[in-house]
Amino acid sequence: MNLTSPLVEAKIMLYVCPMSLLLAIESSCDDTGASVIRDGEILSNVVASQSVHEAWGGVVPELASRAHQQQIVPVVHAALEQAHVSLKQLEGIAFTAHPGLIGSLLVGSSYAKSLAQVLQIPLMAINHMEAHVLALFIGTNKPIFPFICLTVSGGHTQLVLMKGPFDSEILGETLDDAAGEAFDKGAKMLGLPYPGGPLIDRLAQSGNPKAFEFARPDIPGLNFSFSGLKTSLLYFLRDQEAQQPGFTQTHLNDICASYQFAIIRHILDKTRKAMKETGIKQLGIAGGVAANKGLREALQHLSSEKKYALFVPEMAYCTDNAAMIAMAAHFKFEAKQFVNLEISPSARYSL
Ligand code: KG4
Ligand code: ZN
C-alpha cells in the first residue's frame, strides 16, 4: 500500500531545484533534538538532554521514551522559533529511523509522520550513524568523497569508507564494547556518574597518561576490542585497593589519563592502519567520543605527521544532536529519497 498522497507526490515532482527548508528530529537514545536546515545551512539546533538517567548509572529505555514524549513538542517549537520559521513553511521532515532504542525512536517517528501527513510534505528516514558522519558537512571545511570516517559513539565504533552520502563500507568495527562504553564503564568503576566519558576527559587533562599501563588490545585487521582494556582496569583497581585502600580516589586523575591513553592508543593503531591500507588522505571523526580532547589532539598530531586532511566537527555536532540529522536530510532531499507513512523504525543498524 502506498500511503504517499497525490498532493505530496505533486510536491515531490516540483523539487527539481534542491532549495529546501527542512525540520529534523532526533530521538534515538537519551537526547531529544530538533533542527531546521535551509539549503544545507543549519538555522537552529535544539537538544534537551535527559538528566533522569544519572541516578541509574546508564540509560533506562522506558524513562527515555517517556522523557522524549514530554520534550518533543517544546523542543520542536524552540527549533522553529530560533530559525524564525513556521510549520507551514517547511518543505520536508526527517527523523532518526535507526539504530537506537526502539521506544525512543517510535516517539520521534510518530511525531514526524503526523507532521508530514498534516503538512502534506515529504518524509525522510535517517540512519543515526550515517548522520554522525554527515555532520562533517556542517560548516565550511568539508571533506570530499571518498574519505575515511572514524565513528566513535556510545553504541558504535567503526572505521567507515565514505564513497557518497549514503554509500559507505564498514572497514572495521568493534567486536565487543564501543569506545564510549569503554569510557562509561571505566568511569563507573571509578565511582564517576553516567555518562563518564566527558568526566574522564576532564580529569585526564590534569593527570599523567604514562602513570599506569593498561592492556593494548591485539586484534587482527581493522576491528576493535575494548572489553580486555576494561577488564584490565577492573583488576588493576581491585589489586591496588587491596594494597592501599583509597588508592582510586588519591590517584584518580592519573588513572583517568592512563586509561584514556590506552583507549586512544587502540583507536589510533586502527586508524593509522586503515589510512595506510586504503591510501586515502582525508580523515573525518564523528560521534560522542570525537568530543574527547585527548583523542582530538592525538588525531591532529597523527594527521600532521602523515599529511592527512583532518575533519573534526564542532563539539555540539559530535554528541547526539538533530543538526546532523538535518544535514543527512539535506542530502536525502537532494537525492529525493523519501519514505511513505508505512515506515517503521528499527533498533538495528539497517532498517
Ligand atoms: O554519539 P553519542 O552522543 O551517542 C550515541 O549515539 O551513542 O555518544 C555518547 C558517548 C557516551 O559514551 C559518552 O560518554 C561519550 O560519547 N562521550 C565522550 C565525551 N563526550 C561524550 N567520551 C569521551 N570524552 C568525551 N569528551
Ligand atoms: Zn549518536
Side-chain angles (χ1 to χ4, degrees):
M1 186 175 48
N2 183 1
L3 296 182
T4 310
S5 77
L7 181 56
V8 174
E9 273 169 11
K11 284 189 177 181
I12 292 170
M13 298 294 286
L14 282 173
Y15 296 130
V16 202
C17 162
M19 296 284 283
S20 56
L21 184 63
L22 314 171
L23 171 69
I25 289 169
E26 156 63 25
S27 73
S28 65
C29 188
D30 58 343
D31 294 293
T32 317
S35 172
V36 177
I37 188 167
R38 176 185 282 135
D39 304 331
E41 189 198 339
I42 300 293
L43 300 185
S44 65
N45 179 35
V46 177
V47 183
S49 298
Q50 303 177 354
S51 54
V52 65
H53 307 288
E54 273 164 25
W56 302 93
V59 177
V60 183
E62 190 187 322
L63 294 180
S65 311
R66 293 169 64 175
H68 284 305
Q69 225 18 297
Q70 288 163 352
Q71 290 169 341
I72 196 155
V73 172
V75 164
V76 168
H77 282 177
L80 291 168
E81 207 172 285
Q82 282 179 25
H84 303 293
V85 163
S86 72
L87 276 176
K88 282 186 185 146
Q89 289 174 280
L90 293 174
E91 291 163 290
I93 179 154
F95 66 97
T96 306
H98 59 121
L101 299 172
I102 194 65
S104 294
L105 291 167
L106 282 165
V107 176
S109 67
S110 303
Y111 186 86
K113 281 185 188 188
S114 315
L115 268 189
Q117 195 175 27
V118 169
L119 299 171
Q120 292 284 292
I121 54 176
L123 183 66
M124 289 157 279
I126 307 296
N127 176 321
H128 178 89
M129 297 310 294
E130 278 178 353
H132 267 302
V133 179
L134 297 173
L136 291 167
F137 290 84
I138 301 173
T140 46
N141 186 26
K142 307 172 205 287
I144 298 165
F145 296 105
F147 64 92
I148 302 285
C149 190
L150 167 71
T151 312
V152 271
S153 74
H156 294 83
T157 299
Q158 296 175 334
L159 276 160
V160 187
L161 170 59
M162 294 297 297
K163 302 175 205 167
F166 305 111
D167 183 8
S168 61
E169 186 188 331
I170 298 175
L171 303 175
E173 60 188 333
T174 185
L175 303 177
D176 39 58
D177 290 340
E181 270 178 296
F183 273 105
D184 296 338
K185 289 180 180 174
K188 200 170 179 180
M189 290 178 214
L190 296 169
L192 300 171
Y194 176 86
L199 287 168
I200 291 190
D201 188 6
R202 188 157 53 78
L203 296 170
Q205 282 163 38
S206 38
N208 175 8
K210 299 277 168 65
F212 309 109
E213 177 68 26
F214 294 107
R216 187 171 197 153
D218 182 18
I219 305 293
L222 295 173
N223 289 329
F224 300 81
S225 168
F226 292 97
S227 67
L229 231 168
K230 179 190 68 188
T231 311
S232 93
L233 175 66
L234 181 73
Y235 291 152
F236 171 79
L237 295 177
R238 185 197 60 188
D239 295 348
Q240 297 297 328
E241 281 289 336
Q243 285 172 25
Q244 191 186 328
F247 174 89
T248 308
Q249 273 316 306
T250 45
H251 295 82
L252 192 57
N253 293 4
D254 284 347
I255 302 172
C256 286
S258 302
Y259 183 62
Q260 175 172 297
F261 175 81
I263 295 175
I264 294 174
R265 180 174 58 188
H266 183 43
I267 294 175
L268 250 63
D269 282 349
K270 298 298 178 167
T271 307
R272 206 182 283 114
K273 197 165 193 265
M275 299 302 285
K276 192 167 176 216
E277 284 181 8
T278 58
I280 289 177
K281 292 286 183 193
Q282 294 179 95
L283 173 65
I285 58 170
V289 181
N292 184 272
K293 202 162 178 283
L295 178 63
R296 290 164 94 100
E297 282 170 10
L299 287 168
Q300 293 282 6
H301 189 262
L302 177 72
S303 303
S304 55
E305 184 191 301
K306 301 277 182 192
K307 311 257 182 301
Y308 312 144
L310 181 67
F311 300 90
V312 183
E314 267 179 43
M315 290 286 194
Y317 304 134
C318 287
T319 47
D320 284 351
N321 66 88
M324 67 186 200
I325 307 298
M327 184 46 73
H330 169 73
F331 284 109
K332 286 261 176 202
F333 197 86
E334 277 192 336
K336 298 192 184 66
Q337 287 185 17
F338 305 126
V339 291
N340 65 36
L341 295 173
E342 281 176 325
I343 186 88
S344 165
S346 164
R348 293 163 189 255
Y349 188 79
S350 46
L351 265 181

